[in-house]
Amino acid sequence: MLFRSYSALTVTDWKRWSGSFRVRSINHYILNGEEAQSVVSGHTVFDFSVARALNRWLELNFAMDNMFNKTFYETYERYTSRLPGEDPLERVHATTGYPRTMIGGLTIHLFPKGR
């Protein structure tokens, strides 16, 4: 049985602070649906973001994706491929998830709401 989850705890406009803590998760699953040997691993990744309103026009923000720098694979696919000089083989190919990523920024509100 496939299990996927995306959960978040969000705070908005608390003393000019906003932020969220998010969890995204998927359990292991059978890639082909028929072949039990094609089970791929799942993952759980935590993300965090925070923002501070400086005034009606400006907001500082910071986000950290994959907070605990978990090594994981975002997608898996099974298809036939071959390396130069080798015979084609059906293989499982995986796309790695990104490592811990931190982003900071400044948001400018051109048409701010009244505060």
Side-chain angles (χ1 to χ4, degrees):
M1 181 169 85
L2 180 61
F3 169 82
R4 286 179 281 186
S5 173
Y6 183 86
S7 304
L9 175 64
T10 303
V11 175
T12 305
D13 246 353
W14 178 71
K15 298 184 181 184
R16 299 172 69 158
W17 287 93
S18 297
S20 71
F21 178 74
R22 298 171 305 280
V23 180
R24 47 197 162 102
S25 184
I26 187 169
N27 69 335
H28 63 278
Y29 58 95
I30 297 173
L31 185 61
N32 183 319
E34 297 171 8
E35 301 174 27
Q37 72 268 18
S38 294
V39 174
V40 295
S41 63
H43 62 271
T44 299
V45 179
F46 297 86
D47 304 324
F48 169 78
S49 65
V50 66
R52 169 81 162 123
L54 302 176
N55 56 40
R56 289 180 47 188
W57 302 92
L58 295 173
E59 182 178 273
L60 274 177
N61 37 67
F62 172 80
M64 184 184 309
D65 292 339
N66 193 1
M67 287 174 53
F68 302 113
N69 204 24
K70 170 114 179 189
T71 300
F72 69 102
Y73 294 96
E74 194 74 48
T75 61
Y76 292 92
E77 295 180 78
R78 185 179 183 119
Y79 56 89
T80 302
S81 65
R82 82 176 174 86
L83 296 171
E86 292 186 7
D87 292 331
L89 289 174
E90 188 171 341
R91 307 171 201 230
V92 174
H93 300 265
T95 303
T96 56
Y98 48 89
R100 179 184 301 127
T101 305
M102 293 180 270
I103 301 167
L106 180 68
T107 302
I108 301 169
H109 297 278
L110 298 177
F111 303 101
K113 296 184 277 183
R115 288 193 184 234

mmCIF file of all heavy atoms in Angstrom, residues 50-78:
data_model
loop_
_atom_site.group_PDB
_atom_site.id
_atom_site.type_symbol
_atom_site.label_atom_id
_atom_site.label_comp_id
_atom_site.label_asym_id
_atom_site.label_seq_id
_atom_site.Cartn_x
_atom_site.Cartn_y
_atom_site.Cartn_z
ATOM 1 N N VAL A 50 10.512 30.984 7.645
ATOM 2 C CA VAL A 50 10.114 32.054 8.564
ATOM 3 C C VAL A 50 10.202 33.388 7.830
ATOM 4 O O VAL A 50 11.031 33.555 6.927
ATOM 5 C CB VAL A 50 11.009 32.046 9.835
ATOM 6 C CG1 VAL A 50 12.448 32.389 9.511
ATOM 7 C CG2 VAL A 50 10.455 32.961 10.902
ATOM 8 N N ALA A 51 9.318 34.307 8.186
ATOM 9 C CA ALA A 51 9.319 35.643 7.570
ATOM 10 C C ALA A 51 9.006 36.678 8.637
ATOM 11 O O ALA A 51 8.252 36.419 9.579
ATOM 12 C CB ALA A 51 8.294 35.718 6.448
ATOM 13 N N ARG A 52 9.577 37.858 8.496
ATOM 14 C CA ARG A 52 9.361 38.963 9.436
ATOM 15 C C ARG A 52 9.028 40.210 8.643
ATOM 16 O O ARG A 52 9.819 40.659 7.804
ATOM 17 C CB ARG A 52 10.616 39.195 10.256
ATOM 18 C CG ARG A 52 10.629 40.455 11.073
ATOM 19 C CD ARG A 52 9.870 40.267 12.367
ATOM 20 N NE ARG A 52 10.251 41.309 13.310
ATOM 21 C CZ ARG A 52 9.390 42.134 13.862
ATOM 22 N NH1 ARG A 52 8.115 42.042 13.597
ATOM 23 N NH2 ARG A 52 9.789 43.041 14.718
ATOM 24 N N ALA A 53 7.849 40.772 8.900
ATOM 25 C CA ALA A 53 7.460 42.026 8.250
ATOM 26 C C ALA A 53 8.224 43.170 8.909
ATOM 27 O O ALA A 53 8.160 43.351 10.118
ATOM 28 C CB ALA A 53 5.959 42.234 8.385
ATOM 29 N N LEU A 54 8.946 43.928 8.113
ATOM 30 C CA LEU A 54 9.691 45.077 8.636
ATOM 31 C C LEU A 54 8.791 46.309 8.688
ATOM 32 O O LEU A 54 8.897 47.121 9.604
ATOM 33 C CB LEU A 54 10.913 45.348 7.763
ATOM 34 C CG LEU A 54 11.894 44.175 7.641
ATOM 35 C CD1 LEU A 54 13.014 44.521 6.673
ATOM 36 C CD2 LEU A 54 12.438 43.803 9.007
ATOM 37 N N ASN A 55 7.950 46.451 7.688
ATOM 38 C CA ASN A 55 6.940 47.507 7.635
ATOM 39 C C ASN A 55 5.884 47.065 6.611
ATOM 40 O O ASN A 55 5.882 45.918 6.197
ATOM 41 C CB ASN A 55 7.562 48.879 7.290
ATOM 42 C CG ASN A 55 8.333 48.866 5.992
ATOM 43 O OD1 ASN A 55 7.912 48.242 5.014
ATOM 44 N ND2 ASN A 55 9.471 49.538 5.964
ATOM 45 N N ARG A 56 5.009 47.982 6.194
ATOM 46 C CA ARG A 56 3.968 47.612 5.220
ATOM 47 C C ARG A 56 4.538 47.181 3.877
ATOM 48 O O ARG A 56 3.900 46.447 3.135
ATOM 49 C CB ARG A 56 3.038 48.798 4.979
ATOM 50 C CG ARG A 56 2.132 49.113 6.136
ATOM 51 C CD ARG A 56 1.256 50.295 5.831
ATOM 52 N NE ARG A 56 0.668 50.149 4.503
ATOM 53 C CZ ARG A 56 -0.014 51.074 3.876
ATOM 54 N NH1 ARG A 56 -0.213 52.239 4.441
ATOM 55 N NH2 ARG A 56 -0.513 50.866 2.673
ATOM 56 N N TRP A 57 5.720 47.644 3.548
ATOM 57 C CA TRP A 57 6.289 47.440 2.217
ATOM 58 C C TRP A 57 7.312 46.305 2.140
ATOM 59 O O TRP A 57 7.519 45.735 1.078
ATOM 60 C CB TRP A 57 6.967 48.733 1.754
ATOM 61 C CG TRP A 57 6.042 49.897 1.728
ATOM 62 C CD1 TRP A 57 5.818 50.797 2.739
ATOM 63 C CD2 TRP A 57 5.186 50.279 0.669
ATOM 64 N NE1 TRP A 57 4.877 51.706 2.361
ATOM 65 C CE2 TRP A 57 4.469 51.428 1.086
ATOM 66 C CE3 TRP A 57 4.944 49.778 -0.604
ATOM 67 C CZ2 TRP A 57 3.543 52.062 0.294
ATOM 68 C CZ3 TRP A 57 4.020 50.417 -1.396
ATOM 69 C CH2 TRP A 57 3.335 51.549 -0.938
ATOM 70 N N LEU A 58 8.008 46.016 3.247
ATOM 71 C CA LEU A 58 9.139 45.086 3.202
ATOM 72 C C LEU A 58 8.966 43.915 4.164
ATOM 73 O O LEU A 58 8.453 44.069 5.268
ATOM 74 C CB LEU A 58 10.441 45.807 3.572
ATOM 75 C CG LEU A 58 10.920 46.897 2.629
ATOM 76 C CD1 LEU A 58 12.117 47.613 3.225
ATOM 77 C CD2 LEU A 58 11.271 46.313 1.284
ATOM 78 N N GLU A 59 9.469 42.759 3.704
ATOM 79 C CA GLU A 59 9.421 41.556 4.522
ATOM 80 C C GLU A 59 10.702 40.754 4.300
ATOM 81 O O GLU A 59 11.102 40.526 3.157
ATOM 82 C CB GLU A 59 8.202 40.732 4.118
ATOM 83 C CG GLU A 59 7.994 39.482 4.901
ATOM 84 C CD GLU A 59 6.733 38.777 4.428
ATOM 85 O OE1 GLU A 59 5.653 39.095 4.941
ATOM 86 O OE2 GLU A 59 6.861 37.915 3.531
ATOM 87 N N LEU A 60 11.376 40.379 5.372
ATOM 88 C CA LEU A 60 12.551 39.509 5.296
ATOM 89 C C LEU A 60 12.077 38.076 5.398
ATOM 90 O O LEU A 60 11.179 37.774 6.187
ATOM 91 C CB LEU A 60 13.498 39.783 6.459
ATOM 92 C CG LEU A 60 14.505 40.891 6.306
ATOM 93 C CD1 LEU A 60 15.303 41.049 7.602
ATOM 94 C CD2 LEU A 60 15.443 40.616 5.154
ATOM 95 N N ASN A 61 12.673 37.158 4.622
ATOM 96 C CA ASN A 61 12.272 35.767 4.731
ATOM 97 C C ASN A 61 13.469 34.838 4.601
ATOM 98 O O ASN A 61 14.490 35.177 4.012
ATOM 99 C CB ASN A 61 11.177 35.405 3.722
ATOM 100 C CG ASN A 61 11.356 36.084 2.396
ATOM 101 O OD1 ASN A 61 12.305 35.800 1.690
ATOM 102 N ND2 ASN A 61 10.467 36.993 2.068
ATOM 103 N N PHE A 62 13.303 33.675 5.210
ATOM 104 C CA PHE A 62 14.342 32.654 5.214
ATOM 105 C C PHE A 62 13.663 31.293 5.131
ATOM 106 O O PHE A 62 12.644 31.063 5.784
ATOM 107 C CB PHE A 62 15.172 32.744 6.505
ATOM 108 C CG PHE A 62 16.144 31.615 6.667
ATOM 109 C CD1 PHE A 62 17.353 31.631 5.993
ATOM 110 C CD2 PHE A 62 15.854 30.546 7.497
ATOM 111 C CE1 PHE A 62 18.246 30.588 6.133
ATOM 112 C CE2 PHE A 62 16.748 29.497 7.648
ATOM 113 C CZ PHE A 62 17.949 29.522 6.969
ATOM 114 N N ALA A 63 14.222 30.389 4.339
ATOM 115 C CA ALA A 63 13.680 29.038 4.224
ATOM 116 C C ALA A 63 14.829 28.024 4.202
ATOM 117 O O ALA A 63 15.909 28.310 3.679
ATOM 118 C CB ALA A 63 12.860 28.893 2.946
ATOM 119 N N MET A 64 14.575 26.876 4.812
ATOM 120 C CA MET A 64 15.530 25.782 4.786
ATOM 121 C C MET A 64 14.776 24.519 4.379
ATOM 122 O O MET A 64 13.877 24.069 5.089
ATOM 123 C CB MET A 64 16.194 25.574 6.147
ATOM 124 C CG MET A 64 17.255 24.511 6.119
ATOM 125 S SD MET A 64 18.009 24.133 7.720
ATOM 126 C CE MET A 64 18.474 25.735 8.299
ATOM 127 N N ASP A 65 15.119 23.984 3.215
ATOM 128 C CA ASP A 65 14.531 22.731 2.747
ATOM 129 C C ASP A 65 15.489 21.598 3.094
ATOM 130 O O ASP A 65 16.700 21.772 3.048
ATOM 131 C CB ASP A 65 14.297 22.767 1.239
ATOM 132 C CG ASP A 65 13.208 23.755 0.851
ATOM 133 O OD1 ASP A 65 12.380 24.093 1.721
ATOM 134 O OD2 ASP A 65 13.187 24.190 -0.309
ATOM 135 N N ASN A 66 14.928 20.436 3.408
ATOM 136 C CA ASN A 66 15.706 19.264 3.824
ATOM 137 C C ASN A 66 16.598 19.635 5.012
ATOM 138 O O ASN A 66 17.822 19.498 4.973
ATOM 139 C CB ASN A 66 16.515 18.703 2.651
ATOM 140 C CG ASN A 66 17.077 17.334 2.927
ATOM 141 O OD1 ASN A 66 16.863 16.757 3.983
ATOM 142 N ND2 ASN A 66 17.816 16.803 1.970
ATOM 143 N N MET A 67 15.957 20.088 6.087
ATOM 144 C CA MET A 67 16.652 20.596 7.284
ATOM 145 C C MET A 67 17.746 19.677 7.806
ATOM 146 O O MET A 67 18.791 20.138 8.256
ATOM 147 C CB MET A 67 15.648 20.808 8.420
ATOM 148 C CG MET A 67 14.749 21.976 8.257
ATOM 149 S SD MET A 67 13.492 22.044 9.557
ATOM 150 C CE MET A 67 14.454 21.963 11.041
ATOM 151 N N PHE A 68 17.517 18.370 7.798
ATOM 152 C CA PHE A 68 18.456 17.430 8.389
ATOM 153 C C PHE A 68 19.386 16.798 7.356
ATOM 154 O O PHE A 68 20.067 15.821 7.631
ATOM 155 C CB PHE A 68 17.695 16.364 9.178
ATOM 156 C CG PHE A 68 16.838 16.970 10.257
ATOM 157 C CD1 PHE A 68 15.463 16.890 10.177
ATOM 158 C CD2 PHE A 68 17.398 17.660 11.313
ATOM 159 C CE1 PHE A 68 14.655 17.456 11.151
ATOM 160 C CE2 PHE A 68 16.614 18.241 12.299
ATOM 161 C CZ PHE A 68 15.246 18.140 12.215
ATOM 162 N N ASN A 69 19.413 17.386 6.166
ATOM 163 C CA ASN A 69 20.314 16.971 5.088
ATOM 164 C C ASN A 69 20.199 15.473 4.790
ATOM 165 O O ASN A 69 21.194 14.775 4.612
ATOM 166 C CB ASN A 69 21.757 17.353 5.419
ATOM 167 C CG ASN A 69 22.594 17.496 4.173
ATOM 168 O OD1 ASN A 69 22.084 17.752 3.090
ATOM 169 N ND2 ASN A 69 23.893 17.338 4.324
ATOM 170 N N LYS A 70 18.973 14.990 4.729
ATOM 171 C CA LYS A 70 18.691 13.576 4.472
ATOM 172 C C LYS A 70 19.039 13.228 3.026
ATOM 173 O O LYS A 70 18.696 13.953 2.102
ATOM 174 C CB LYS A 70 17.208 13.320 4.723
ATOM 175 C CG LYS A 70 16.723 11.988 4.277
ATOM 176 C CD LYS A 70 16.311 11.179 5.440
ATOM 177 C CE LYS A 70 15.790 9.845 4.967
ATOM 178 N NZ LYS A 70 15.211 9.130 6.022
ATOM 179 N N THR A 71 19.734 12.112 2.828
ATOM 180 C CA THR A 71 20.004 11.612 1.487
ATOM 181 C C THR A 71 18.795 10.788 1.054
ATOM 182 O O THR A 71 18.409 9.851 1.750
ATOM 183 C CB THR A 71 21.267 10.741 1.479
ATOM 184 O OG1 THR A 71 22.370 11.536 1.921
ATOM 185 C CG2 THR A 71 21.555 10.207 0.090
ATOM 186 N N PHE A 72 18.181 11.158 -0.056
ATOM 187 C CA PHE A 72 16.995 10.447 -0.520
ATOM 188 C C PHE A 72 16.882 10.558 -2.025
ATOM 189 O O PHE A 72 17.576 11.339 -2.658
ATOM 190 C CB PHE A 72 15.723 10.986 0.159
ATOM 191 C CG PHE A 72 15.345 12.383 -0.248
ATOM 192 C CD1 PHE A 72 14.326 12.596 -1.162
ATOM 193 C CD2 PHE A 72 15.989 13.494 0.275
ATOM 194 C CE1 PHE A 72 13.961 13.880 -1.537
ATOM 195 C CE2 PHE A 72 15.631 14.778 -0.093
ATOM 196 C CZ PHE A 72 14.611 14.967 -1.003
ATOM 197 N N TYR A 73 16.007 9.725 -2.579
ATOM 198 C CA TYR A 73 15.735 9.753 -4.012
ATOM 199 C C TYR A 73 14.324 10.260 -4.227
ATOM 200 O O TYR A 73 13.373 9.755 -3.650
ATOM 201 C CB TYR A 73 15.926 8.373 -4.641
ATOM 202 C CG TYR A 73 17.361 7.941 -4.598
ATOM 203 C CD1 TYR A 73 17.833 7.120 -3.583
ATOM 204 C CD2 TYR A 73 18.261 8.391 -5.555
ATOM 205 C CE1 TYR A 73 19.164 6.754 -3.523
ATOM 206 C CE2 TYR A 73 19.598 8.037 -5.505
ATOM 207 C CZ TYR A 73 20.042 7.222 -4.487
ATOM 208 O OH TYR A 73 21.360 6.866 -4.426
ATOM 209 N N GLU A 74 14.187 11.283 -5.049
ATOM 210 C CA GLU A 74 12.901 11.935 -5.311
ATOM 211 C C GLU A 74 12.001 11.076 -6.203
ATOM 212 O O GLU A 74 10.823 10.941 -5.964
ATOM 213 C CB GLU A 74 13.160 13.292 -5.967
ATOM 214 C CG GLU A 74 11.987 14.224 -6.011
ATOM 215 C CD GLU A 74 11.671 14.841 -4.667
ATOM 216 O OE1 GLU A 74 12.587 15.328 -3.996
ATOM 217 O OE2 GLU A 74 10.491 14.829 -4.294
ATOM 218 N N THR A 75 12.579 10.491 -7.247
ATOM 219 C CA THR A 75 11.800 9.672 -8.179
ATOM 220 C C THR A 75 12.586 8.425 -8.577
ATOM 221 O O THR A 75 13.821 8.420 -8.557
ATOM 222 C CB THR A 75 11.452 10.440 -9.470
ATOM 223 O OG1 THR A 75 12.668 10.822 -10.121
ATOM 224 C CG2 THR A 75 10.626 11.669 -9.188
ATOM 225 N N TYR A 76 11.852 7.394 -8.946
ATOM 226 C CA TYR A 76 12.420 6.163 -9.488
ATOM 227 C C TYR A 76 11.693 5.841 -10.786
ATOM 228 O O TYR A 76 10.489 6.055 -10.893
ATOM 229 C CB TYR A 76 12.198 4.980 -8.536
ATOM 230 C CG TYR A 76 12.960 5.061 -7.244
ATOM 231 C CD1 TYR A 76 12.384 5.638 -6.122
ATOM 232 C CD2 TYR A 76 14.228 4.522 -7.132
ATOM 233 C CE1 TYR A 76 13.069 5.689 -4.920
ATOM 234 C CE2 TYR A 76 14.921 4.565 -5.941
ATOM 235 C CZ TYR A 76 14.338 5.147 -4.836
ATOM 236 O OH TYR A 76 15.013 5.200 -3.655
ATOM 237 N N GLU A 77 12.427 5.312 -11.745
ATOM 238 C CA GLU A 77 11.827 4.868 -12.997
ATOM 239 C C GLU A 77 12.543 3.595 -13.429
ATOM 240 O O GLU A 77 13.730 3.431 -13.182
ATOM 241 C CB GLU A 77 11.974 5.922 -14.095
ATOM 242 C CG GLU A 77 11.216 7.203 -13.831
ATOM 243 C CD GLU A 77 11.404 8.183 -14.956
ATOM 244 O OE1 GLU A 77 10.757 7.998 -15.992
ATOM 245 O OE2 GLU A 77 12.213 9.106 -14.791
ATOM 246 N N ARG A 78 11.808 2.720 -14.060
ATOM 247 C CA ARG A 78 12.409 1.478 -14.568
ATOM 248 C C ARG A 78 12.284 1.502 -16.087
ATOM 249 O O ARG A 78 11.185 1.587 -16.629
ATOM 250 C CB ARG A 78 11.687 0.278 -13.995
ATOM 251 C CG ARG A 78 12.321 -1.019 -14.373
ATOM 252 C CD ARG A 78 11.565 -2.181 -13.752
ATOM 253 N NE ARG A 78 12.256 -3.394 -14.078
ATOM 254 C CZ ARG A 78 12.778 -4.220 -13.199
ATOM 255 N NH1 ARG A 78 12.636 -3.973 -11.923
ATOM 256 N NH2 ARG A 78 13.411 -5.296 -13.587
#
